[in-house]
Amino acid sequence: MVEEHYLTPLFEPKSVAVIGASDRENSVGSVIFRNMIGAGYKGRLFAVNPKHAEVHGTQCYKTIEDVGVRVDLAVIATRPQTVPGIIEQCGRAGVKFVVIITAGFSEAGHQGAALERKMLEIARSYGVRILGPNCLGLIRPTLGLNSTFANVNAKPGNLALVSQSGALCAAILDWAKVNDVGFSSVVSLGSSSDIEFGEILDYLVYDNRTHYILLYVEGIRNARRFMSAVRSAARIKPIVLLKAGRYESGSAAALLHSGVKAGSDAVFEAAIKRAGVVRVSNIGQLFYAAKGMATKFRPQGNRLLIMTNGGGPGAMAADHAAELKIPLAELSQNTLGALNGCLPANWSRANPVDIVGDATPERYQAAIAACMDDPGIDGLLVMLTPQAMTDPMGVAKAVIAAMDAGSKPIVACWMGEAQTFEARKVLTEAGIPAFRMPETAVELFYHISTYYKHQKLLLQTPEPVSRQAKTETEGAKMLIEAVLAERRKVLSEMESKSVLRAFKIPVAQTMVARTATEALLLAEQIGFPVAMKVDSPDIQRKTEAGGVRLNVTNAGAVRNAYLDILDTVARNHPNARINGVSIEPFVARPNGRELMVGVVRDPTFGPVITFGAGGQECEIFSDRAVALPPLNAVLAEDLIRSTKVHALLGEYRNQPAVNMDALEDVLLRISEMVCELPWLQELDLNPLIIDENGAIAADARIVIDFAPVTGDRYSHMAIHPYPSHMVEEWVLPDGQVVHIRPIRPEDAEMEKDFVAHMSDESKYYRFMDTIRELTQSMLVRFTQIDYDREMAFVAVTEEDGKEVQVGVSRYVLNPDGETVEFALAVADAWQKRGVGRKLMSALIEAARLKGYRAVVGDVLALNSKMFKLMTSLGFTIHPHPEDPAVKRVIKPLQN
């Protein structure tokens, strides 16, 4: 179903009014109006300014209401105090989109923030959407639309640039002009008080002029909308991102400029990794990465081979690769033999492959060919320094021929200028990224290989969920509510472990003793040896406070340890409240590795899971990886592999490998806790002890706080988790049990089997095509859905102890942002048993709860069974606007 996106009037306006247009030299209104004329805008252009009768030879109107015709887009360049009144005039005149160039709003302090609130209140009352304020404007080169006050226009191209900084937009436009880079759109968001990244990205996905998207980010206002949009867009179009605020000073500057607070950079890095986006560090890398993606450069891994005719430049490239943690490929014996056969005796016999300064085009071509079949090489950096006997153009042509004949991607570095300029141009035209400096070439390889790594992670189809036992979420919620009712936010160790047990996380049994005698009795009950720890809501670091005694082996030692703990802690923390001393079994695992699993709250992205080395020295080694929940098995494994401690989890110094399934289970359980407990602010499992037999949390600390009451139970999450509350058990009249539940990424194989076993007629009715089976990309698209903007329900039953899919219903959000399009399929053997009705009822209710206006669908005119079902569910049938073989069915959802 192809419809116009609701932002189309902003990007493709048929008429534009510049409010504040002027003849005054170098005024913002004058520059914008002159830019619109100079760009050759193809729609109707109006000047609005009560002080002028004419601007740049064009009639000028006193107000937007005086124009007298419908205006799609108004560009406002007036004093900030006038903007709310102008927005009201735009609303009365029927203008639906405005670009506010004016600064002086939330970024300017309390008065500006109040002015912005007033402006937004008026805009919302009239249904006016705002780009800005404090922005450079909007450019659509193919339309001749340049509503900016930049001194340079953009040439047409397939790159879309979306930036929170107008100044950076202007600098990039200047850079692009010299480097012959074109754009489909240039969007300056400014303070993004209304329209922000999420909506712009949604439009650019639908925009057939845009092939690649470049983002400059200072801060995110709506993490859920941003993550939802960027994950959706990155599946279809490559996104390259540049972010300010890697360090505290940059974050502070971004806050002053855009009014958006930045969170932890490590968390942002985890977020864009999760989204399948590549992040760069400067403007040059931004464009080089985008241009690299537009070529044939597609590395499938990060193992780099460096080939050079100069040892020094090759060493420089290798050093920079090491800085970026790019592994140099190890040459196989077959490759070494092939290189020995085509290179001089004094070649380097290692990577970098130095083919010696007198290398001819033929030598380059033969050496590249020798490396093309090596499975240990993911990409080649081919370098040339112009020496007396060097033929830069001849070598370039040889490299092109070698790439065409081989299977590995190549990036080139032809150093110098006068002798190598034309050769670099020829390489670039052939689809081989070519640079002057080795560092730039290595950075391109790093960014593009990282992008494809993230894309692979995005397209993973995890194994079916089988190990996880059902949790007792309600019990954990009741405990948390009871603690909050007591005006407490820090759970005791016993309470923390109770919450963990509710989510089936293995913990050491813990009981609190309030006297030395009670400690002795509890230790006898638990069994020696025991561990003893101070129980205090005011002490986070129990070991540093002197409040921990391990491996206490007898009754006398228990009494002494109890008294010693109280005495030591009282001296170190005289004002701390002490409830007593906790007694638990001493977990002695000779093969155990101590790990740390935690949860922290990021101000932008909400809860974040951390993982790394544990124990007392964990902060010294600073081995931490972070990930945004929710996790699945693939993401949990990637989180583990992102740490240094991962190297110690396999067989190590006569210790057997740890039980990785148990470790992944803990991470998945923590992820579930984060999703289902919006009160959770901090969690610290340190140490989590893991060995070949399993995992156990020896210590636990949880901090909670009141959660805002909203209609969305997952409003605290940047990525919408699996909606387990929508799972429903349905018993058919014949006693057959069917589960209706939202689809999961782990259902990929089940979905594939379901489609494969559908009859040709059912496939044709569902897909309007005679496909045989789902491709990998279709499979991922159908099962890895974003529950925030789409939904799919599967009907599953059990056969021979295995889940079998018997039906599926799904909806996706239409470009209008208000309606959803549905699809339905039921296994042939299960038709006429009510499965379709049940699936559609669940889908309709999900769409209603999301607030969508209607559910619509296109149905083949021959599909009488579907029309019967649709009419019984309250759908109305209408002719299709374009195809007589198809009819459109619509069900309004709002009363």
Side-chain angles (χ1 to χ4, degrees):
M1 184 181 296
V2 179
E3 295 183 4
E4 187 177 87
H5 194 278
Y6 67 92
L7 289 185
T8 298
L10 172 66
F11 282 87
E12 303 280 342
K14 295 180 173 62
S15 53
V16 175
V18 179
I19 303 175
S22 172
D23 278 323
R24 184 162 54 87
E25 189 68 22
N26 293 327
S27 69
V28 173
S30 175
V31 173
I32 292 172
F33 203 79
R34 188 175 67 240
N35 280 347
M36 290 290 294
I37 295 171
Y41 174 56
K42 296 174 182 177
R44 299 184 67 184
L45 180 63
F46 303 99
V48 176
N49 192 325
K51 299 178 181 178
H52 299 279
E54 190 176 278
V55 170
H56 290 285
T58 302
Q59 178 185 357
C60 188
Y61 299 87
K62 292 188 180 300
T63 71
I64 186 70
E65 294 174 276
D66 294 332
V67 173
V69 298
R70 177 70 175 268
V71 174
D72 286 338
L73 176 64
V75 183
I76 301 176
T78 63
R79 292 181 297 109
Q81 292 77 11
T82 67
V83 171
I86 291 172
I87 293 291
E88 187 161 13
Q89 293 171 4
C90 287
R92 289 197 298 262
V95 179
K96 293 303 180 186
F97 290 93
V98 299
V99 176
I100 302 178
I101 307 296
T102 310
F105 292 91
S106 60
E107 80 283 356
H110 295 302
Q111 287 186 333
L115 196 63
E116 184 173 307
R117 287 194 296 271
K118 182 179 179 181
M119 171 192 78
L120 289 171
E121 184 180 336
I122 294 170
R124 285 166 184 152
S125 70
Y126 284 98
V128 176
R129 301 302 310 278
I130 295 172
L131 181 66
N134 188 21
C135 72
L136 184 71
L138 174 70
I139 301 177
R140 286 285 278 182
T142 54
L143 188 63
L145 173 66
N146 181 358
S147 65
T148 73
F149 59 95
N151 291 323
V152 60
N153 196 13
K155 62 171 285 188
N158 57 20
L159 293 175
L161 170 65
V162 186
S163 171
Q164 282 181 312
S165 167
L168 193 78
C169 275
I172 289 175
L173 286 171
D174 189 56
W175 185 96
K177 184 177 181 180
V178 175
N179 288 273
D180 196 34
V181 174
F183 297 89
S184 62
S185 304
V186 178
V187 184
S188 171
L189 291 175
S191 299
S192 55
S193 63
D194 180 23
I195 298 173
E196 53 183 332
F197 280 112
E199 291 182 89
I200 298 295
L201 284 170
D202 283 344
Y203 177 83
L204 294 175
V205 169
Y206 285 98
D207 182 30
N208 57 18
R209 293 191 179 97
T210 299
H211 297 173
Y212 306 90
I213 300 171
L214 312 181
L215 301 181
Y216 170 74
V217 179
E218 290 182 348
I220 304 299
R221 288 186 183 273
N222 187 327
R224 169 75 70 80
R225 184 64 191 260
F226 175 78
M227 287 300 295
S228 181
V230 77
R231 291 173 73 213
S232 176
R235 293 179 186 275
I236 301 169
K237 299 180 180 182
I239 298 177
V240 185
L241 183 147
L242 172 64
K243 182 183 181 293
R246 283 180 176 269
Y247 305 101
E248 189 173 341
S249 57
S251 297
L255 176 61
L256 287 172
H257 173 253
S258 65
V260 181
K261 185 177 181 180
S264 161
D265 191 68
V267 174
F268 188 88
E269 188 79 31
I272 59 104
K273 176 182 178 182
R274 182 74 180 268
V277 172
V278 61
R279 183 181 183 183
V280 297
S281 302
N282 56 54
I283 294 173
Q285 291 176 359
L286 189 73
F287 281 104
Y288 290 139
K291 291 176 76 174
M293 288 176 177
T295 67
K296 301 173 183 177
F297 195 66
R298 298 285 188 277
Q300 298 303 304
N302 65 347
R303 296 166 299 179
L304 178 65
L305 180 123
I306 300 170
M307 187 175 294
T308 177
N309 69 341
M316 291 168 59
D319 282 347
H320 200 50
E323 289 172 355
L324 296 174
K325 296 182 172 56
I326 299 173
L328 295 187
E330 294 186 12
L331 302 175
S332 69
Q333 289 300 315
N334 288 340
T335 302
L336 285 168
L339 289 171
N340 282 331
C342 65
L343 297 180
N346 59 336
W347 79 279
S348 61
R349 287 182 169 76
N351 185 6
V353 176
D354 185 350
I355 63 174
V356 192
D358 63 350
T360 62
E362 293 76 17
R363 189 185 299 171
Y364 267 97
Q365 187 168 350
I368 294 171
C371 297
M372 279 294 182
D373 293 329
D374 193 327
I377 298 172
D378 295 314
L380 288 79
L381 166 57
V382 180
M383 303 179 64
L384 177 142
T385 57
Q387 301 180 34
M389 64 292 291
T390 306
D391 177 6
M393 183 60 76
V395 173
K397 292 178 179 177
V399 170
I400 293 168
M403 185 194 69
D404 290 341
S407 59
K408 308 284 186 191
I410 295 175
V411 58
C413 174
W414 262 224
M415 299 182 72
E417 185 57 33
Q419 298 179 58
T420 56
F421 176 81
E422 290 299 328
R424 278 197 302 271
K425 186 176 179 182
V426 167
L427 286 163
T428 302
E429 289 172 351
I432 299 176
F435 302 95
R436 293 179 182 84
M437 304 303 293
E439 292 84 359
T440 313
V442 171
E443 286 168 2
L444 176 78
F445 178 82
Y446 168 74
H447 289 127
I448 304 297
S449 62
T450 299
Y451 168 76
Y452 285 106
K453 175 187 174 185
H454 290 179
Q455 284 290 305
K456 283 182 179 178
L457 197 62
L458 195 64
L459 298 178
Q460 285 288 340
T461 52
E463 294 291 326
V465 176
S466 59
R467 321 193 274 269
Q468 290 183 259
K470 189 172 179 61
T471 58
E472 298 168 6
T473 308
E474 291 307 315
K477 290 180 178 179
M478 291 173 62
L479 191 155
I480 287 172
E481 288 169 352
V483 170
L484 289 172
E486 296 175 8
R487 304 282 181 186
R488 289 193 292 122
K489 294 185 179 180
V490 180
L491 273 63
S492 69
E493 185 174 352
M494 283 182 65
E495 291 166 338
S496 296
K497 288 184 175 179
S498 293
V499 173
L500 293 172
R501 272 195 295 269
F503 284 86
K504 308 304 179 187
I505 296 168
V507 296
Q509 178 189 7
T510 302
M511 291 182 279
V512 175
R514 288 166 176 79
T515 67
T517 302
E518 192 174 350
L520 178 58
L521 291 172
L522 292 177
E524 294 280 4
Q525 181 180 335
I526 290 172
F528 292 105
V530 297
M532 302 175 65
K533 305 171 189 175
V534 65
D535 185 55
S536 169
D538 302 322
I539 297 175
Q540 296 184 26
R541 304 176 189 278
K542 299 173 186 176
T543 301
E544 292 178 14
V548 177
R549 301 292 183 273
L550 303 177
N551 198 18
V552 183
T553 58
N554 56 61
V558 167
R559 181 180 296 277
N560 292 337
Y562 183 94
L563 298 173
D564 192 32
I565 286 173
L566 295 187
D567 181 59
T568 305
V569 172
R571 279 189 279 105
N572 292 334
H573 294 272
N575 297 320
R577 293 168 292 170
I578 299 175
N579 299 326
V581 174
S582 67
I583 314 294
E584 62 187 55
F586 175 61
V587 181
R589 295 193 174 187
N591 296 324
R593 280 73 143 182
E594 292 191 345
L595 305 174
M596 184 285 306
V597 178
V599 174
V600 295
R601 282 274 180 145
D602 181 79
T604 301
F605 291 97
V608 178
I609 296 174
T610 66
F611 173 78
Q616 296 182 29
E617 296 82 16
C618 64
E619 293 183 5
I620 299 174
F621 298 110
S622 190
D623 180 26
R624 288 288 181 279
V626 299
L628 261 64
L631 301 180
N632 59 26
V634 172
L635 296 169
E637 182 182 2
D638 182 70
L639 176 62
I640 296 167
R641 289 183 177 276
S642 300
T643 60
K644 297 172 185 174
V645 76
H646 172 258
L648 305 181
L649 302 181
E651 293 185 13
Y652 178 75
R653 291 184 179 176
N654 298 322
Q655 291 183 324
V658 305
N659 185 332
M660 292 298 290
D661 284 349
L663 179 55
E664 287 179 15
D665 271 341
V666 170
L667 290 171
L668 295 176
R669 292 305 186 183
I670 294 295
S671 174
E672 189 176 1
M673 279 182 63
V674 167
C675 297
E676 299 301 329
L677 303 179
W679 308 273
L680 186 62
Q681 301 295 311
E682 298 175 27
L683 180 146
D684 188 15
L685 302 187
N686 186 16
L688 175 74
I689 302 173
I690 180 82
D691 65 8
E692 70 276 17
N693 297 314
I696 188 166
D699 204 352
R701 177 178 177 272
I702 292 177
V703 178
I704 57 175
D705 203 349
F706 290 96
V709 179
T710 67
D712 179 4
R713 66 188 288 155
Y714 299 118
S715 60
H716 62 296
M717 307 286 294
I719 301 174
H720 197 297
Y722 182 77
S724 55
H725 61 286
M726 291 183 169
V727 177
E728 178 186 355
E729 185 178 279
W730 175 44
V731 182
L732 275 66
D734 62 2
Q736 179 83 50
V737 177
V738 177
H739 286 93
I740 307 294
R741 61 168 175 78
I743 203 165
R744 296 186 298 236
E746 294 84 356
D747 293 330
E749 282 303 312
M750 187 174 71
E751 174 83 357
K752 184 177 181 179
D753 290 342
F754 169 73
V755 172
H757 288 92
M758 289 170 65
S759 67
D760 289 344
E761 180 185 61
S762 293
K763 288 177 183 175
Y764 187 69
Y765 282 158
R766 165 60 183 89
F767 299 103
M768 299 187 189
D769 195 356
T770 54
I771 66 166
R772 305 312 305 172
E773 63 177 29
L774 298 180
T775 64
Q776 178 64 16
S777 60
M778 291 173 70
L779 201 58
V780 168
R781 182 70 192 87
F782 284 170
T783 58
Q784 294 188 19
I785 69 171
D786 183 341
Y787 302 108
D788 194 47
R789 61 171 58 202
E790 56 189 323
M791 182 54 72
F793 287 96
V794 289
V796 295
T797 186
E798 191 171 299
E799 294 180 10
D800 300 324
K802 179 182 176 183
E803 277 194 329
V804 176
Q805 182 174 322
V806 299
V808 60
S809 63
R810 66 178 68 245
Y811 70 64
V812 294
L813 183 61
N814 280 322
D816 62 13
E818 297 181 334
T819 64
V820 292
E821 180 181 4
F822 82 89
L824 173 68
V826 177
D828 293 75
W830 281 79
Q831 292 177 12
K832 298 182 179 180
R833 299 183 67 181
V835 175
R837 172 178 292 277
K838 194 72 176 176
L839 286 168
M840 281 303 300
S841 296
L843 197 71
I844 291 166
E845 183 59 21
R848 190 195 312 279
L849 290 173
K850 277 290 184 180
Y852 294 123
R853 182 167 53 81
V855 178
V856 300
D858 290 344
V859 180
L860 283 168
L862 297 174
N863 195 350
S864 57
K865 289 186 289 186
M866 181 67 83
F867 289 122
K868 184 177 179 181
L869 174 61
M870 292 300 106
T871 53
S872 71
L873 288 168
F875 284 78
T876 54
I877 304 173
H878 307 268
H880 193 277
E882 298 171 359
D883 189 350
V886 175
K887 292 188 182 295
R888 183 157 291 174
V889 296
I890 302 174
K891 180 178 177 62
L893 295 180
Q894 297 181 359
N895 298 326

